[in-house]
Amino acid sequence: MLSGGVQCYNKKDGVQGRKPRAAVLGLFEEQKEVFRSIEMDITHITSLLGGIALFLYGMSIMGAGLEKLAGGKMQGVLQKLTSSTIKGVIFGTLITGVIQSSAGTVVICVGLVNSGIMTLTQSVGVIMGANIGTTVTGQLIRMADISGDSLLLTLIQPKTFAPVVAFVGCIFYVFLRNAKKKNIGQIMLGFGILFTGMSLMDTGVSPLRESAAFQELFVTMTNPMLGVLVGMVVTVIIQSSSASVGILQALSSTGLVTFGSAIPIILGAHIGTAFTPLLTIGGSSKDGKRAALIHLYFNIIGSFVLLAAIYAVRYTIGIPVWGDVMNKSTIANIHTLSSVAAMLLFLPFSSVLSKLAMLTVPNSAEEAQEMSMPVLDERLFKSPAVALQQAKSAVVKMSRRAARNVSLSTPLLLKMDEDVVSAINVRENLIDRMEVEISNYLIKMTDQELGDDESHAVTELLNFVTEFERIGDYAVNIQEKAVELYEKEASFSDIAKNELQLLDSALEQILTRTNDAFENDDIALARQVEPLEEVIDILVEKLRDGHIKRLKDGICSIDTGVVFLDVLNNVERISDHCSNVAARLVGTSEGDDYDSHTLKSLMHHNPSKEYSLMYEECCKEYLTPLAAMEKEA
């Protein structure tokens, strides 16, 4: 009968006995507790994974917002705040003191470097300052409980203000129409999401902080190298050196934490916090990767140099307090002093960190030349002719970069390369910065006493800057179409690929002619641009008609068809801007009052013998092969 108990079998006596119902129910309860424990573990794991996802996504959209907002004013402010290493240190300290995360500051710094807003050299001071700023948490904990019941400590924690920042950013981004305010909203939204992700990661690992076995790792290591390893691993796991040091401060109440056991752990925590930004370097530019590595090298080298110095003193002179028990205040002070000491150690040699990162992620000679910004010295305004030549050299560099992006973007339509996509984006950011700097330089030059020829030259250079910047924009458009094609896992038909290669050849030739004519003031070469531009227009029109026919016949898909037509439009615009540049060069040689648009019209409707011959040569080179391809198809 079940009312009195549960039938069971006693092996020893070979008879059935009864097991009380309470015991059976107890077994069920034990099983339920096990499942609850497993469920809690899974919840924390999913929280950790979700936190990492939000962290990376927040970093991504914040970086995109920064790129959109990036302009002369923002760059100028950052340049002033980071114009010297010591200013960068102060800036990095203040920023990290506010957001309470050195990893977060370095992530932002990597994003700024990656988007071209901040240079690698400027980032060094900010990164060194980040390590000092992150010690603010420990200094606050010495005055408040580790539980965070203090209102001040609660308010300044990212988990408190990040959702508010994200909410305000969402309002800006969704409801405001002003482009600048939407960009600010995107940055705030990304910022909030990033630190909300950090809070989720913190929640995911919270059981570890309360684990007795986990906490004992801090105090059971007598070997300094093991202590460094423990501090590093713990910080990597919980994603915060402040949290690691906070746990150490909490453990100090046990009376087990001595100077000898705490110092290696604190230095190890410095190293551990440098690994979080390494999560962000996938898909970053080379300078973005270098910025993250500077943080890693600074913390590793600084920590081991300090550790060696401390143990050298201990085994020679001796440290009387080595075995003394530490409290919250002394732990906080050691954390701060070690960061300041590492900063002072590297301050005279900050360039060494940049060079070490450059050696780790080297540039080719061509890349080093391409990624440099032109020097525009306002002191040369006293000699306008020299200043104009300097400005023109900068525009030449800008034109070469725009052409380089075009030459890199079109092959992406046939074969995707994420490194090339990243290189195009970095170069485009440089082109945008150059447009601002060169334009500002030329506008300032107009305030000087210029002759008529010099004033006209300034105006023409401003026009050329606009033309080349637009070419760069269309190159990025083509790259984005290639990415769209890749993401849709679509590809062109063989005939479309052959057509694109023919078009790419014509595009490369017109860009080469245009840039060479502009750089060398070669009017004869400039006159060869318009016939080629006319042939490219015909080529684009024929390719457009042929592709629409393939769409109707079902040979090409809608996805590839739309991308192909958009690419043709961008190619046509690029050739138009090349035509504008060449016509301005020819028009200037004809006289100040000569209108370039009138000149192009005359070339088309009343062509010279030279123009007709060049046009025929271009037809043979591009239209004849196209006709042959159409016959084969």
Side-chain angles (χ1 to χ4, degrees):
M1 296 175 59
L2 293 176
S3 60
V6 177
Q7 295 288 339
C8 60
Y9 185 79
N10 188 321
K11 291 183 179 179
K12 182 177 179 182
D13 300 329
V15 297
Q16 287 187 337
R18 295 183 178 272
K19 189 171 184 179
R21 176 186 292 180
V24 175
L25 293 176
L27 287 174
F28 281 121
E29 288 298 322
E30 288 178 11
Q31 294 298 322
K32 287 168 68 176
E33 286 300 320
V34 170
F35 281 114
R36 285 197 192 102
S37 176
I38 293 173
E39 183 180 357
M40 182 180 293
D41 290 340
I42 292 173
T43 301
H44 284 94
I45 291 170
T46 55
S47 177
L48 177 62
L49 294 175
I52 293 172
L54 285 177
F55 178 83
L56 294 175
Y57 179 65
M59 185 272 299
S60 176
I61 65 172
M62 183 180 66
L66 285 166
E67 287 184 28
K68 293 176 184 176
L69 192 66
K73 290 184 180 179
M74 184 177 181
Q75 185 185 345
V77 170
L78 285 170
Q79 285 177 340
K80 289 178 182 177
L81 292 173
T82 59
S83 57
S84 65
T85 305
I86 191 65
K87 285 183 180 179
V89 170
I90 295 171
F91 180 63
T93 301
L94 293 175
I95 290 294
T96 310
V98 170
I99 68 174
Q100 293 292 290
S101 171
S102 61
T105 298
V106 177
V107 166
I108 294 170
C109 198
V110 169
L112 292 170
V113 172
N114 191 52
S115 59
I117 300 171
M118 182 185 290
T119 66
L120 186 66
T121 303
Q122 289 174 316
S123 71
V124 175
V126 179
I127 290 169
M128 291 196 293
N131 271 23
I132 301 174
T134 197
T135 66
V136 170
T137 303
Q139 295 295 342
L140 290 172
I141 288 173
R142 67 187 292 183
M143 297 179 288
D145 293 330
I146 189 68
S147 62
D149 292 335
S150 164
L151 178 62
L152 176 62
L153 185 61
T154 301
L155 289 176
I156 64 174
Q157 289 176 341
K159 66 182 179 182
T160 303
F161 67 77
V164 178
V165 173
F167 179 75
V168 174
C170 185
I171 292 174
F172 272 55
Y173 187 71
V174 175
F175 296 105
L176 299 184
R177 294 185 178 181
N178 182 277
K180 184 176 180 180
K181 290 179 180 177
K182 285 181 75 71
N183 291 337
I184 293 172
Q186 184 175 347
I187 293 168
M188 294 175 69
L189 187 60
F191 183 87
I193 291 174
L194 187 151
F195 285 104
T196 300
M198 282 188 163
S199 296
L200 268 177
M201 287 191 281
D202 184 69
T203 302
V205 298
S206 59
L208 296 177
R209 300 182 186 182
E210 299 169 1
S211 167
F214 192 73
Q215 291 180 357
E216 285 175 6
L217 286 174
F218 281 99
V219 294
T220 56
M221 299 295 179
T222 55
N223 187 306
M225 297 308 296
L226 288 177
V228 169
L229 183 63
V230 168
M232 181 181 72
V233 171
V234 169
T235 305
V236 167
I237 292 173
I238 64 178
Q239 299 288 306
S240 172
S241 61
S242 297
S244 299
V245 174
I247 295 172
L248 193 62
Q249 286 177 296
L251 289 171
S252 64
S253 60
T254 64
L256 299 174
V257 181
T258 64
F259 279 84
S261 62
I263 289 175
I265 293 172
I266 292 171
L267 294 178
H270 284 313
I271 298 173
T273 195
F275 283 90
T276 300
L278 293 179
L279 294 172
T280 70
I281 65 175
S284 296
S285 67
K286 287 190 175 182
D287 272 349
K289 292 181 173 72
R290 290 168 186 145
L293 287 171
I294 283 174
H295 188 219
L296 181 65
Y297 291 148
F298 170 68
N299 284 5
I300 289 177
I301 297 172
S303 295
F304 278 109
V305 168
L306 289 176
L307 189 68
I310 289 169
Y311 274 84
V313 171
R314 185 204 169 193
Y315 287 116
T316 53
I317 303 173
I319 301 176
V321 298
W322 189 255
D324 291 356
V325 174
M326 298 183 78
N327 56 29
K328 289 182 176 68
S329 295
T330 51
I331 291 173
N333 289 338
I334 291 293
H335 191 206
T336 301
L337 289 173
S338 62
S339 297
V340 172
M343 182 273 294
L344 293 174
L345 176 68
F346 273 104
L347 194 59
F349 313 105
S350 57
S351 61
V352 173
L353 290 170
S354 298
K355 291 177 180 176
L356 188 58
M358 291 283 288
L359 288 172
T360 308
V361 185
N363 266 339
S364 65
E366 180 186 2
E367 287 175 324
Q369 178 64 26
E370 281 193 354
M371 295 298 108
S372 63
M373 285 292 290
V375 177
L376 296 170
D377 193 344
E378 294 183 12
R379 292 173 296 182
L380 294 177
F381 286 164
K382 295 178 180 178
S383 178
V386 178
L388 277 169
Q389 186 56 48
Q390 179 181 241
K392 182 180 177 181
S393 296
V395 181
V396 167
K397 181 174 284 190
M398 183 179 175
S399 72
R400 296 294 182 188
R401 286 176 174 170
R404 178 62 174 159
N405 265 5
V406 174
S407 67
L408 289 175
S409 62
T410 47
L412 292 174
L413 294 163
L414 306 180
K415 184 180 179 182
M416 178 52 58
D417 188 326
E418 292 183 1
D419 290 336
V420 173
V421 170
S422 177
I424 290 172
N425 289 331
V426 170
R427 195 175 286 103
E428 172 62 15
N429 285 322
L430 286 171
I431 291 170
D432 289 342
R433 290 170 56 198
M434 290 174 73
E435 181 199 18
V436 173
E437 289 196 13
I438 296 170
S439 297
N440 288 340
Y441 185 78
L442 291 170
I443 291 169
K444 287 179 182 178
M445 196 183 298
T446 59
D447 295 333
Q448 312 302 313
E449 294 183 4
L450 303 176
D452 291 341
D453 290 343
E454 292 165 343
S455 181
H456 179 73
V458 168
T459 302
E460 286 301 296
L461 278 178
L462 283 169
N463 288 325
F464 288 132
V465 166
T466 301
E467 300 288 354
F468 291 125
E469 193 276 333
R470 296 280 172 81
I471 290 174
D473 288 342
Y474 288 122
V476 173
N477 289 348
I478 294 173
Q479 171 235 290
E480 289 173 349
K481 291 300 171 184
V483 172
E484 179 184 333
L485 197 70
Y486 177 73
E487 289 175 349
K488 291 179 177 178
E489 297 183 351
S491 61
F492 293 118
S493 62
D494 290 339
I495 186 170
K497 291 178 180 178
N498 293 332
E499 289 173 348
L500 284 172
Q501 288 174 342
L502 184 66
L503 191 64
D504 183 36
S505 176
L507 198 56
E508 184 178 354
Q509 189 175 56
I510 197 171
L511 284 165
T512 301
R513 289 183 182 179
T514 302
N515 288 335
D516 289 347
F518 173 70
E519 181 174 359
N520 303 313
D521 292 317
D522 190 334
I523 305 304
L525 187 58
R527 292 182 186 275
Q528 296 178 16
V529 171
E530 191 60 31
L532 180 54
E533 192 275 337
E534 189 175 353
V535 169
I536 288 177
D537 283 349
I538 297 171
L539 183 62
V540 166
E541 192 61 34
K542 286 182 175 292
L543 294 183
R544 185 181 287 119
D545 292 342
H547 203 71
I548 291 173
K549 185 177 182 300
R550 288 196 295 271
L551 280 172
K552 290 179 179 178
D553 295 340
I555 298 174
C556 292
S557 66
I558 295 296
D559 289 338
T560 58
V562 172
V563 169
F564 192 90
L565 295 175
D566 284 340
V567 169
L568 292 181
N569 290 334
N570 283 288
V571 168
E572 192 171 24
R573 297 292 180 271
I574 291 170
S575 67
D576 286 343
H577 286 293
C578 289
S579 172
N580 292 342
V581 171
R584 288 187 181 281
L585 291 171
V586 175
T588 301
S589 69
E590 298 288 345
D592 291 345
D593 298 327
Y594 207 99
D595 181 72
S596 58
H597 295 289
T598 302
L599 175 64
K600 289 200 288 183
S601 180
L602 287 172
M603 286 181 178
H604 289 175
H605 296 96
N606 189 22
S608 65
K609 183 179 180 181
E610 178 188 8
Y611 183 95
S612 298
L613 288 172
M614 184 57 62
Y615 176 78
E616 289 299 326
E617 286 183 15
C618 293
C619 286
K620 290 178 182 178
E621 189 168 0
Y622 298 108
L623 298 183
T624 301
L626 178 62
M629 287 163 50
E630 289 174 346
K631 285 182 180 180
E632 290 179 6

